[in-house]
Amino acid sequence: MENKKKESLFTKYLKMFYGVSSPLDEYKRQEINRIGNNSFIACWLYIATLSLFLIFYGTSHPQNAISIFIVANFVFLMILSVYIIIATKRSKLTTNEVSVDNYKKAKRKVVYKGIGFGIYFVLAMYLITPLTSLSSGNKSYIESLKHPEGGFLSFIVGGLIFGISMYIIMRIRIKKMK
């Protein structure tokens, strides 16, 4: 019987965030640290720059400053996400190497994960979407849960698209080892 060392919750989160499916060896941990450090430095510079901008511009034009702040944060997070995706792919952190014997099993596991991601998306959107209607004051949270604005079909279609997309991404990452 093998004595496997349990992964900490933080390690599991790191692997999930960066898309690493295999165990973290020293190379993968170093690459994750490098990507994380680069991202941190970019975040620090962004926050410092945006804070200076908001100090000078926000005092005279608060409405415009808030709008710029929201859009800038969204754009920055998208750029940072693309960097992380590209860096993990270049470092081959996301490649899931499986033996020829386990290839069918890995493909089946990816199908189940895709279904799980789809269900998660449907549930998350079903529970989060009513929060947006709270700000308008038209409906209560419970009323919005009973009668969602886009209808239940929109959540299901979104979940299908998300689940299929995640399946395709995970399926592409599987590589047969010889």
Side-chain angles (χ1 to χ4, degrees), residues 47-90:
I47 289 170
T49 305
L50 191 63
S51 295
L52 285 173
F53 170 77
L54 290 175
I55 287 170
F56 294 115
Y57 185 74
T59 54
S60 58
H61 301 90
Q63 289 294 105
N64 291 342
I66 289 173
S67 299
I68 291 169
F69 178 74
I70 291 169
V71 171
N73 280 345
F74 180 76
V75 169
F76 177 76
L77 286 175
M78 291 301 107
I79 291 170
L80 194 63
S81 298
V82 168
Y83 163 72
I84 290 171
I85 289 168
I86 290 170
T88 55
K89 188 169 177 64
R90 281 187 184 159

Side-chain angles (χ1 to χ4, degrees), residues 19 21-22 28 89 92-97 173-175:
S21 55
S22 56
K28 289 179 181 177
K89 188 169 177 64
K92 296 186 172 135
L93 295 178
T94 56
T95 303
N96 184 12
E97 294 179 342
R173 291 178 177 176
I174 296 177
K175 304 290 181 214

Side-chain angles (χ1 to χ4, degrees), residues 11 84 89 107 109 112 117 124 146 150 153 162 169:
T11 302
I84 290 171
K89 188 169 177 64
K107 283 180 15 182
K109 188 176 180 181
Y112 293 134
F117 276 119
K146 291 179 184 175
L153 185 61
F162 186 74
I169 290 169

Side-chain angles (χ1 to χ4, degrees), residues 13-26:
Y13 178 72
L14 271 179
K15 286 173 61 174
M16 182 196 69
F17 184 80
Y18 287 102
V20 178
S21 55
S22 56
L24 277 184
D25 57 10
E26 191 61 34

Side-chain angles (χ1 to χ4, degrees), residues 9 17 25 28 60 65 69 75 78 85 91 97 101 106 113 117 124-125 127 132-133 142 144 149 155 172:
L9 186 61
F17 184 80
D25 57 10
K28 289 179 181 177
S60 58
F69 178 74
V75 169
M78 291 301 107
I85 289 168
S91 300
E97 294 179 342
D101 301 336
K113 280 186 172 183
F117 276 119
M125 294 315 306
L127 295 173
T132 59
S133 65
I142 302 298
S144 295
E149 286 182 32
F155 297 134
I172 289 171

